[in-house]
Amino acid sequence: MSAIEPGTDDWQRLSTRMLLVHPVQELLRAWPVLLGLVFAGTAGGHGSWWSLVATVVVILGGLLRWFTTTYRITPEQVQVRKGLLRRQVLTVPRDRIRTVDVTAHALHRSLGLAKVEVGTGRTDRKSDGVKLDALNAAEAARLHEELMHRVSAPAAGAAERPRETILASMRPDWVRYGPFTLTGFVTVGVIAGVVWRSLNEAHVDPRRIGMLRALLDRFDRTPLAVDVLVVVAVLLVVVAVASTLGYVLAFHGFRLTRNDAGTLHVTRGLVTTRAITIEERRLRGVEFSEPLLLRAVGGARCIAITTGLRVGRGAERGGSVLLPPAPRAEALRVAGEVLRDGVPFTGTLAGHGPRATRRRFSRAIGAVLVVVAAALALWGLGVVPAWTWQAALVVVPFAALLAADRAHALGHAVLNGTVVGRRGSLVRRRSVLSCEGIIGWNLRRSFFQRRSGLATLVATTAAGRQRVEVQDVPLEQALRTAEEALPGLLTPFLEG
Amino acid sequence: MRLRPPRHLVSTKAVGYWTLRALGGWLAVVAVQVVWMLNDGGHARWHVAGLILTGVLGAAHVIVMPRWRFRVHRWEVTSEAVYTQSGWFDQERRIAPISRIQTVDSERGPFERLFGLANVTVTTASAAGPLKIRGLAHDAAEQLVDRLTEGTATDRSDAT
């Protein structure tokens, strides 16, 4: 490993190839504005001129980013200087570095570049740490190695490279779980939104497009029920295909490895590749989650609960993906391997009893009944047609099913030094948080929870979603759990 | 096994402050309704019914909430932990070990100044776990902050 000598604290630049990438990125980011200028300008006849000027400005701005951004790595810290008018110097002490993230999107990859993001342990919603966009792929890999493994293994010299063990790698047949991830819904929704808006902006009447009109004419001749069925079927197929594509794009070549120096590595991605490193001493637990559809086909996924990872979106909100949707048994195995203990994921959980079950039913069905009552009242006043309350009434059995499933999911335990909580139906999560990761307790009791002797026990933590909830547990059980997980903290406040 | 509530109540002046704040909120609602009524012209019966409803709900809230809240809001600090209880209809107890405290802030809004009150917020590294003690007498708040900062200054780990 060629460590950077303490003396060489010269400021370095990003890869010169970024002179090509920055302008393209900026153009892509600015295209709605540029397009808007073209349309806005057509009225005055100068649209093309304005958009040309704007394009030049955007390209120059992109080029300037290369000239204004420099970075250096000293033995103590990583520094980045950037900005033209507002000069910024970002400094991250190296002992505060908790994650190093290497990503490369298509443009980066075609030029042999990679982006390096350094994550610090802050609660990380405002500060996005240090980003180096982008370096030569080799340089990025070296930096990644250097920053991560110097931190966790200061003694390990250049003599031996730490050993990597593979914990999980993607098998092609996992793609069958792709359609059940529903990520396609979002994609299809976004595309539909964009198309709809562009049509509106350009004042195109969909009815005037020949193909669409032929389609609409056909719908006019067939009965409504058939139309609805056809539309739903087409939508389902499109969503399933989009979800599968999304799965392949995100998780192609997925590999989870453990480095003996004390880190976990995740590499994945088809077009945009990502390499994420998690320090094991920052790992506070694992979330084992089973969304309803995935559960129906025997799949599950794992997410790391760790401090210092930027809080992402969607499935990654709780932290970094440790395993994409995969067979349940495989997910259990990987979760156990990551924590070096499978018991928290397989051990039996204590249920929350009949009062918690009653609460789930009264909440799910009660909410629907309120809607039914409101619809009935409005129907009585002649404001809405009768089908509204009838439709609301049809929902009741589904609400009951949901409540039953949710009640069945509730469970908690303290297993081998971890607090385990399970809840949810649409997304069932079993969160395993190591007791050392708990930095406080919140005991929430709503008016109705107090009446039924229940409480929601929240273990707060600096990692992942910042909390693990044990929902609707009998108060006495909640206190026992808290006392067992962190002995002594509650003792002075307990009586009887 | 029972978890007893924290020992100390907040300042009695907090009742007045909470009453004033709740009153302000309800008056804003009434003002909106009145403006709407004056601009609408018709539907007088509905508007009056709405105003009466707001009046009844508002009065109940303004009378009940501050007193209820005063009985719930409590706090306690030991050498090991900070323990708070807050809320009224929905209540929450929070416990954090002193060793995990990251910052101790106190703040006073203009109306709280008027009542001689202050808030103390104790944060940990978790975004889910700040302990807020609202409605403390000003000097009590200052003493509490001093005590907590003394306790945490000796601890040098990063408390995550």
Side-chain angles (χ1 to χ4, degrees):
Chain A
M1 188 160 67
S2 71
I4 290 169
E5 281 82 16
T8 60
D9 55 359
D10 310 349
W11 292 89
Q12 301 177 50
R13 289 191 188 282
L14 305 173
S15 164
T16 41
R17 278 170 255 166
M18 284 310 286
L19 284 170
L20 291 174
V21 180
H22 276 319
V24 175
Q25 274 179 341
E26 296 295 321
L27 276 179
L28 285 177
R29 210 173 290 165
W31 77 264
V33 178
L34 296 179
L35 205 69
L37 277 175
V38 171
F39 279 119
T42 35
H46 300 294
S48 42
W49 279 108
W50 280 117
S51 63
L52 195 67
V53 169
T55 308
V56 171
V57 168
V58 168
I59 290 177
L60 279 180
L63 292 175
L64 270 174
R65 274 184 61 185
W66 184 83
F67 289 101
T68 55
T69 309
T70 51
Y71 72 97
R72 70 171 173 183
I73 287 125
T74 69
E76 285 81 37
Q77 55 201 23
V78 177
Q79 282 184 304
V80 175
R81 286 195 303 204
K82 63 176 185 182
L84 177 65
L85 298 175
R86 206 165 65 89
R87 291 293 283 170
Q88 275 182 296
V89 182
L90 305 176
T91 305
V92 176
R94 284 180 65 173
D95 57 2
R96 282 296 154 92
I97 296 174
R98 292 176 187 183
T99 57
V100 176
D101 211 358
V102 179
T103 29
H105 56 66
L107 202 55
H108 284 144
R109 284 179 70 191
S110 62
L111 293 168
L113 301 172
K115 180 168 81 176
V116 178
E117 281 175 83
V118 175
T120 61
R122 304 263 295 278
T123 311
D124 281 337
R125 232 151 280 146
K126 279 172 238 157
S127 66
D128 52 354
V130 163
K131 242 183 259 178
L132 296 173
D133 181 12
L135 311 176
N136 295 335
E139 172 69 10
R142 203 188 55 71
L143 200 62
H144 173 235
E145 183 90 346
E146 151 121 12
L147 289 177
M148 277 325 287
H149 292 149
R150 270 273 289 269
V151 179
S152 43
E160 53 181 292
R161 284 181 68 85
R163 211 161 44 89
E164 296 249 340
T165 7
I166 295 183
L167 300 185
S169 55
M170 164 116 178
R171 282 200 306 270
D173 58 315
W174 292 0
V175 171
R176 69 177 186 272
Y177 295 107
F180 301 97
T181 55
L182 288 192
T183 47
F185 255 125
V186 182
T187 321
V188 170
V190 168
I191 290 173
V194 168
V195 168
W196 182 249
R197 271 198 56 189
S198 327
L199 286 180
N200 267 349
E201 295 278 309
H203 303 291
V204 176
D205 185 353
R207 261 169 261 241
R208 275 192 302 187
I209 302 171
M211 222 173 65
L212 268 176
R213 206 182 50 205
L215 205 66
L216 285 174
D217 284 346
R218 276 185 75 144
F219 274 152
D220 279 343
R221 287 195 299 269
T222 48
L224 183 69
V226 176
D227 294 351
V228 170
L229 275 179
V230 168
V231 168
V232 167
V234 167
L235 204 65
L236 277 182
V237 170
V238 170
V239 167
V241 169
S243 300
T244 312
L245 270 179
Y247 184 92
V248 173
L249 280 177
F251 299 119
H252 174 81
F254 178 92
R255 217 160 64 105
L256 171 68
T257 58
R258 167 178 278 134
N259 190 302
D260 281 350
T263 53
L264 294 168
H265 297 256
V266 174
T267 45
R268 61 188 178 88
L270 181 66
V271 178
T272 297
T273 56
R274 280 174 67 104
I276 304 147
T277 302
I278 304 161
E279 262 193 289
E280 279 192 81
R281 66 189 175 105
R282 301 291 174 193
L283 189 74
R284 297 288 182 269
V286 172
E287 185 183 287
F288 178 84
S289 75
E290 300 168 280
L292 184 64
L293 276 181
L294 208 53
R295 186 147 50 99
V297 294
R301 57 173 194 230
C302 297
I303 292 164
I305 301 177
T306 164
T307 62
L309 273 189
R310 209 148 28 95
V311 179
R313 261 165 286 158
E316 288 191 67
R317 189 142 45 147
S320 171
V321 168
L322 283 177
L323 192 73
R328 193 169 187 281
E330 176 74 0
L332 279 176
R333 185 188 65 77
V334 170
E337 292 249 20
V338 167
L339 285 197
R340 298 169 195 273
D341 182 6
V343 175
F345 300 96
T346 51
T348 39
L349 303 182
H352 293 187
R355 283 174 295 177
T357 306
R358 215 158 39 231
R359 183 170 152 79
R360 291 267 64 87
F361 273 95
S362 57
R363 278 180 70 100
I365 296 178
V368 180
L369 288 184
V370 166
V371 174
V372 171
L376 264 175
L378 288 175
W379 172 65
L381 289 170
V383 184
V384 297
W387 64 263
T388 48
W389 65 264
Q390 290 158 353
L393 210 55
V394 169
V395 178
V396 171
F398 293 102
L401 282 177
L402 188 72
D405 196 39
R406 284 173 65 91
H408 180 67
L410 290 178
H412 72 279
V414 178
L415 295 168
N416 291 1
T418 62
V419 170
V420 185
R422 190 179 60 190
R423 58 177 293 197
S425 169
L426 296 178
V427 181
R428 177 169 296 174
R429 296 197 170 89
R430 182 175 178 131
S431 308
V432 173
L433 179 67
S434 97
C435 291
E436 289 133 49
I438 300 172
I439 57 184
W441 297 108
N442 298 348
L443 195 68
R444 260 198 334 248
R445 307 189 73 197
S446 72
F447 181 73
F448 297 105
Q449 278 180 315
R450 289 202 298 280
R451 278 172 47 116
S452 50
L454 298 171
T456 296
L457 179 71
V458 183
T460 65
T461 173
R465 275 172 229 278
Q466 311 282 312
R467 71 182 83 203
V468 167
E469 288 190 15
V470 178
Q471 194 184 29
D472 288 339
V473 62
L475 184 60
E476 173 105 2
Q477 251 176 304
L479 296 177
R480 275 188 209 294
T481 307
E483 186 67 355
E484 195 184 341
L486 288 183
L489 182 58
L490 288 190
T491 320
F493 312 118
L494 291 174
E495 23 181 64
Chain B
M1 208 191 304
R2 217 172 64 83
L3 189 65
R4 66 167 173 77
R7 286 239 156 78
H8 310 293
L9 288 167
V10 298
S11 167
T12 43
K13 289 184 216 146
V15 177
Y17 167 67
W18 287 325
T19 308
L20 188 75
R21 233 184 43 175
L23 202 62
W26 285 105
L27 284 181
V29 175
V30 169
V32 169
Q33 281 183 318
V34 168
V35 169
W36 186 15
M37 179 166 80
L38 294 181
N39 284 320
D40 196 17
H43 310 104
R45 221 155 29 120
W46 288 102
H47 282 296
V48 171
L51 272 174
I52 291 174
L53 186 69
T54 311
V56 171
L57 284 178
H61 182 245
V62 165
I63 291 166
V64 172
M65 181 277 284
R67 281 157 193 83
W68 193 346
R69 202 183 267 283
F70 178 71
R71 280 171 48 191
V72 174
H73 276 235
R74 285 165 164 270
W75 61 278
E76 183 173 345
V77 175
T78 68
S79 56
E80 295 297 316
V82 183
Y83 176 26
T84 64
Q85 175 174 280
S86 64
W88 53 292
F89 194 73
D90 292 345
Q91 300 176 4
E92 186 165 346
R93 288 173 174 175
R94 294 187 166 190
I95 299 158
I98 298 272
S99 60
R100 303 290 194 146
I101 293 176
Q102 286 202 322
T103 63
V104 182
D105 309 327
S106 76
E107 44 139 16
R108 321 176 66 193
F111 288 104
E112 283 160 327
R113 269 219 199 83
L114 207 65
F115 282 87
L117 298 171
N119 300 326
V120 173
T121 306
V122 177
T123 65
T124 62
S126 171
L131 287 80
K132 289 183 184 155
I133 310 173
R134 298 227 170 90
L136 281 173
H138 184 220
D139 48 343
E142 272 182 351
Q143 279 169 22
L144 179 62
V145 171
D146 286 346
R147 190 173 158 199
L148 285 173
T149 36
E150 247 168 60
T152 49
T154 50
D155 191 82
R156 292 249 61 96
S157 67
D158 75 345
T160 59

